Amino acid sequence: KQEREEVQQMIALHPVIKDELQKVEETLLANAASENLAPPENLRNKILLGIEAAELGLPPLLSQVSSVDDWLEYLDKHNIGPQAGSQDLLWVDLPSSANITSYAVWAPNGVAVEEEHADEEERLLMLKGRCKITANGTTAFYEEGELVHIPAGTLHKAEAASEGLMVLIGQRVKV
């Protein structure tokens, strides 16, 4: 996230960098077109799920381009969140469909959930604080702006690891 912000600052200060990045992007696109690369097999399913979410008025699908600010605005706009001064775990189910389950979580330090979803992949977008996730014997820490992908059938444990409340958006998508 920090690197992205630094690049955006450099682009704003030096138009030549913006031009060079545009040339690199055009070259990459031209190379990809000449290679005649086939899209990933699951791309069709992701597109259809995105269309379904939009048609049903569901929250957007989490992806690498998901914005913390957009999600905080979504929660604020829909008046979703803990009461002032709350220090307890709060789990709020967001509008969902048969294929996509969305939720928001506010958790104090030390609160943990361990689970496994046989037929759903799970995505978590960290909005505030820090989360410790253990999956397949590996532990990693995630912070604001980071997206976590947990494949279907993976036993995992998520634990709030923040001084204040950890806030995240989660989605489970049927595979």
Side-chain angles (χ1 to χ4, degrees), residues 1-110:
K1 178 182 173 180
Q2 181 181 359
E3 287 177 355
R4 185 179 317 138
E5 290 174 358
E6 288 176 20
V7 169
Q8 292 300 326
Q9 289 174 353
M10 294 305 291
I11 288 171
L13 291 173
H14 306 285
V16 69
I17 293 175
K18 179 180 179 182
D19 295 341
E20 189 61 31
L21 283 175
Q22 187 171 357
K23 288 177 189 173
V24 169
E25 183 177 311
E26 289 169 359
T27 301
L28 289 172
L29 289 172
N31 287 342
S34 69
E35 297 276 332
N36 197 18
L37 299 174
E41 289 184 28
N42 64 352
L43 182 59
R44 180 179 189 277
N45 187 41
K46 286 183 179 181
I47 291 170
L48 291 176
L49 286 172
I51 292 170
E52 174 187 27
E55 288 175 347
L56 295 174
L58 302 178
L61 284 175
L62 291 176
S63 72
Q64 293 295 341
V65 296
S66 293
S67 162
V68 169
D69 290 336
D70 289 348
W71 275 99
L72 290 173
E73 184 179 314
Y74 174 89
L75 295 172
D76 186 53
K77 177 181 175 184
H78 292 88
N79 200 26
I80 300 169
Q83 294 181 352
S86 174
Q87 288 296 314
D88 295 326
L89 171 68
L90 176 63
W91 180 294
V92 176
D93 290 321
L94 301 177
S96 299
S97 72
N99 295 317
I100 306 165
T101 302
S102 299
Y103 56 91
V105 174
W106 290 259
N109 189 29

